[in-house]
Amino acid sequence: MSSNEFLSIKQRFGIIGNSPKLNHAIQVAAQVAPTDMTVLITGESGSGKESFSKIIHQLSARKHGKFIAINCGAIPEGTIDSELFGHEKGSFTGAYEARKGYFEVTNGGTIFLDEIGEMPLQTQARLLRVLENGEFIKVGSSKVQKTDVRVVAATNVNLLDAVEKGKFREDLYYRLSTVPIFVPPLRERGNDVDLLFRKFASDFAEKYRVESIKLTDDARHMILRYRFPGNIRQLKNLVEQMSALEMERTITADTLMKYLPQQGSNLPAIYKGGSSEGGDSLSERDLLYKVLFDMKKDMNDLKKLVHDLIQDGDVDTSVIEDNPNLFRNMDKTPALPQESSPKDFSEPIYINSAESDNDDSYDYENVHDITHEEDESLSIEEKEKELIIKALRKNNNKRKYAAQDLGISERTLYRKIKQYEID
């Protein structure tokens, strides 16, 4: 394929971008289009898979036939057979007249089956028969009918995993994936993000009759680094929002941040497999025990270090004489109570830093009792109650924000308020 032909395809179907993965997908679609081979298009939601099905249809000998795009996940399981293959009058409740299905209507054309992984197993068996023999039977009929339809399928899930889980037929998978085409996600297309932004900005400026928005260098750098989990669809919506709402047509990084959902950093958090309450992954009691005893152990290690320095003559011995209680029982390391010891703190999960990065979550000045003698009991309930009261006062009794400060769910906070009878 010449460069002029390649550019012509992009212009004809409105494809913006020059990334190698995108160009490869276009080339495969153009090469397979003149054949009648079944094609499976894979890629994340919003990456533009339907555009490739149109390329395949329009560049084929079937371009004068019908093209129908069907979202298999949007059709209820009880009616999808009727939608695809038709039904006879009286075949089920509500079937007041006979109806032609899509495979009959598009005879000589192309059917695009989007989200093929959502198709029920019973319908998969019917589809396999169409692909292998070009035959189908209407719901409520015994008559075999013929059809000449090219099938282009698409999915955003791993069909091989679905096959292993018994949710997708293995024979249908291999029949569909005669020619696989992978549409890359937006985050793997490099500078295509900037090209698409400018294209959408121009389109919406014309639509709303306003000046086109532009990005500053900092904003452009930010948008190129953003992962765009919603792909092209998300970028298009983002540009439309800013085009319609922003009075200032030059978009800065600060302005852009207001529209980009916060992805957060992958911070490890403590996790305990299984929770009897089904709410927070780790109970507040276990968390407090771990924090308190870790602090106690660190304090003992620090006292031992000071004591060793004193013994070596590096520090004045008056430190021990002036603080006899501080160095009492310093060699003893507290043990976690059996009934309250956390079971497993080794497995990490990930939380959004925006929900946990709060310097005011705990008032450590009021946890100084951790340096007292070993025989002094630690009242976790009192500390817990005290922290909850502080968080509520700080946030004017707004439980939502108090729960965020404490790092627990609002439901758990409500339960603790009732438990400790906090007014």
Side-chain angles (χ1 to χ4, degrees):
M1 182 188 302
S2 67
S3 58
N4 289 336
E5 290 175 331
F6 198 77
L7 183 60
S8 175
I9 291 175
K10 284 186 176 182
Q11 292 175 342
R12 180 179 175 184
F13 295 97
I15 297 177
I16 308 295
N18 297 305
S19 71
K21 290 183 179 180
L22 177 68
N23 289 341
H24 176 71
I26 296 172
Q27 184 175 2
V28 173
Q31 287 181 329
V32 76
T35 73
D36 264 347
M37 300 172 71
T38 305
V39 179
L40 178 63
I41 306 172
T42 59
E44 295 180 5
S45 179
S47 57
K49 297 187 290 295
E50 187 170 347
S51 297
F52 287 83
S53 68
K54 292 178 180 178
I55 292 175
I56 294 169
H57 174 70
Q58 292 295 331
L59 298 183
S60 72
R62 298 174 180 268
K63 62 183 178 181
H64 298 298
K66 285 192 174 183
F67 173 85
I68 294 181
I70 303 164
N71 189 326
C72 299
I75 305 176
E77 183 174 348
T79 61
I80 189 169
D81 284 355
S82 173
E83 293 285 331
L84 294 177
F85 308 107
H87 64 258
E88 295 292 351
K89 180 179 179 180
S91 57
F92 54 85
T93 303
Y96 300 116
E97 57 184 7
R99 180 187 181 279
K100 292 183 178 181
Y102 295 129
F103 276 96
E104 185 176 357
V105 172
T106 56
N107 187 24
T110 304
I111 285 184
F112 174 54
L113 298 176
D114 198 7
E115 306 300 343
I116 189 72
E118 303 295 325
M119 181 177 285
L121 287 170
Q122 179 182 349
T123 310
Q124 292 177 29
R126 287 174 173 265
L127 176 60
L128 183 62
R129 184 174 183 178
V130 175
L131 293 175
E132 291 183 340
N133 306 317
E135 298 177 347
F136 69 94
I137 301 176
K138 286 185 175 182
V139 176
S141 174
S142 58
K143 180 182 176 181
V144 177
Q145 294 184 238
K146 286 282 189 178
T147 187
D148 178 22
V149 176
R150 182 180 193 173
V151 174
V152 178
T155 181
N156 62 354
V157 300
N158 190 323
L159 288 185
L160 281 176
D161 288 346
V163 169
E164 292 179 0
K165 296 175 182 177
K167 295 181 179 180
F168 201 83
R169 293 178 62 104
E170 184 176 11
D171 48 4
L172 178 59
Y173 167 75
Y174 290 113
R175 187 66 181 80
L176 285 172
S177 58
T178 306
V179 178
I181 295 177
F182 172 67
V183 182
L186 189 56
R187 62 180 172 274
E188 295 181 7
R189 291 175 53 179
N191 290 329
D192 286 359
V193 177
D194 186 34
L195 296 175
L196 284 164
F197 184 97
R198 285 187 280 172
K199 173 64 168 61
F200 293 146
S202 176
D203 291 345
F204 289 122
E206 183 178 351
K207 178 180 179 181
Y208 297 121
R209 298 181 180 180
V210 294
E211 182 185 349
S212 178
I213 60 173
K214 299 177 182 178
L215 295 173
T216 63
D217 290 340
D218 289 344
R220 182 175 293 105
H221 183 63
M222 178 183 294
I223 207 169
L224 288 174
R225 289 186 303 158
Y226 190 74
R227 293 185 60 80
F228 283 104
N231 292 293
I232 298 175
R233 185 182 296 121
Q234 182 185 3
L235 175 61
K236 186 176 182 180
N237 291 340
L238 172 72
V239 178
E240 183 172 17
Q241 284 180 354
M242 292 191 295
S243 297
L245 301 178
E246 286 299 320
M247 301 299 294
E248 178 59 51
R249 309 314 288 174
T250 300
I251 305 300
T252 65
D254 290 339
T255 303
L256 186 60
M257 285 183 64
K258 296 189 299 183
Y259 293 91
L260 289 177
Q262 296 299 312
Q263 299 179 110
S265 59
N266 290 333
L267 297 176
I270 300 170
Y271 172 79
K272 180 178 70 175
S275 177
S276 59
E277 296 177 4
D280 299 323
S281 58
L282 188 66
S283 71
E284 296 79 18
R285 177 185 291 270
D286 286 342
L287 277 172
L288 285 170
Y289 267 125
K290 177 164 175 53
V291 170
L292 291 171
F293 282 100
D294 282 350
M295 290 175 64
K296 180 74 174 186
K297 185 176 183 302
D298 291 342
M299 183 62 70
N300 277 344
D301 291 342
L302 183 58
K303 289 192 294 183
K304 188 174 187 304
L305 176 62
V306 173
H307 185 271
D308 291 343
L309 290 173
I310 292 173
Q311 294 297 321
D312 294 339
D314 296 333
V315 180
D316 190 350
T317 56
S318 62
V319 173
I320 295 182
E321 297 172 357
D322 295 339
N323 302 274
N325 291 330
L326 182 64
F327 291 92
R328 183 183 301 170
N329 300 322
M330 69 176 187
D331 292 325
K332 297 180 181 179
T333 301
L336 290 172
Q338 292 297 323
E339 66 274 10
S340 301
S341 60
K343 304 296 186 297
D344 182 14
F345 295 100
S346 60
E347 185 179 355
I349 62 172
Y350 295 95
I351 59 177
N352 194 314
S353 62
E355 298 177 357
S356 60
D357 189 13
N358 191 324
D359 293 334
D360 297 327
S361 296
Y362 294 95
D363 185 359
Y364 289 107
E365 294 180 359
N366 292 286
V367 197
H368 64 278
D369 287 340
I370 197 165
T371 61
H372 287 186
E373 291 96 346
E374 294 294 329
D375 56 355
E376 183 177 347
S377 63
L378 294 172
S379 177
I380 300 300
E381 290 83 358
E382 288 299 322
K383 294 298 179 185
E384 203 170 46
K385 181 178 179 180
E386 182 180 340
L387 290 173
I388 290 172
I389 292 173
K390 284 179 178 291
L392 288 169
R393 287 175 178 171
K394 175 190 169 185
N395 293 281
N396 296 322
N397 290 326
K398 293 182 179 180
R399 294 174 182 170
K400 176 181 178 181
Y401 302 111
Q404 290 177 357
D405 274 358
L406 292 168
I408 61 178
S409 69
E410 191 173 354
R411 183 176 65 85
T412 301
L413 177 60
Y414 180 75
R415 177 170 54 80
K416 290 294 182 182
I417 290 173
K418 291 184 65 177
Q419 175 184 343
Y420 296 132
E421 300 179 349
I422 299 174
D423 295 331

